[in-house]
Amino acid sequence: MVAQQTRPSTGRVTRRRVRTRANLLDAAFAVFAAKGFGRVSIEEVCDAAGYSRGAFYSNFASLDELFFALYRERADLIAQQVADALAGDGPDLDVPASVDRVTEVLLLDLDWLLVKTDFLVHAARDAAVAQTLLEHRARLRRAIADRLAPARGHTALPAALGGADAAAHAVVAAYDGVTTQLLLDKDVDGARAWLRQLLTALLTDGSTPPECSE
């Protein structure tokens, strides 16, 4: 009888904790994007989420742990969105259409770029953090390579790239370069057009007319 009473209560507590954790992550994302990781306190995250420090520490041991959890959550989401965007055409890859979908996903959120850049700077000074970042970047590349590999029988990739894995590296490198400029000028439309041009040139023979002359 006691077990029957306790089990539903535990379920409610678990669901509440999941919701609290999600709310803390959402609040932290907004605060980190606005102020930068190194300038944010636990109190600020709690205030933004509407929770006490006790609620924070019941979910995260430190601000670093929350930051890593936030990065993993968003990076996994982006990798999945890229995979879904590339999967829309079946094996006969429509490069321009796929590039359009990928650029929409990758360039949509300036706040994410700010948080990602903070994580990159943090990782550059900590080998363990760097490994976490490298693993998630590898997952993004795999999502791209896994889509390009079966399409090669239908859509030829430039021979200079040396295969789907190298093409995936090139796509991520192009994204990194374009988003550096985007962080400074905040011109999302210009960055999207420029990335579209670069990716089209990388994944085809480059003969598609450019949409950006800068």
Side-chain angles (χ1 to χ4, degrees), residues 5 31 44 49 53 58 63 89 135 148 159 176 195 197 212:
Q5 293 175 344
V31 176
E44 287 173 299
R53 286 176 64 94
S58 70
L63 205 57
D89 301 312
E135 289 168 0
L148 294 177
D176 287 341
L195 183 61
Q197 181 179 341
C212 175

Side-chain angles (χ1 to χ4, degrees), residues 68-88:
F68 300 156
L70 175 63
Y71 181 85
R72 284 194 297 269
E73 177 186 79
R74 299 286 171 144
D76 287 349
L77 174 62
I78 292 293
Q80 187 58 53
Q81 287 175 329
V82 169
D84 292 345
L86 288 170

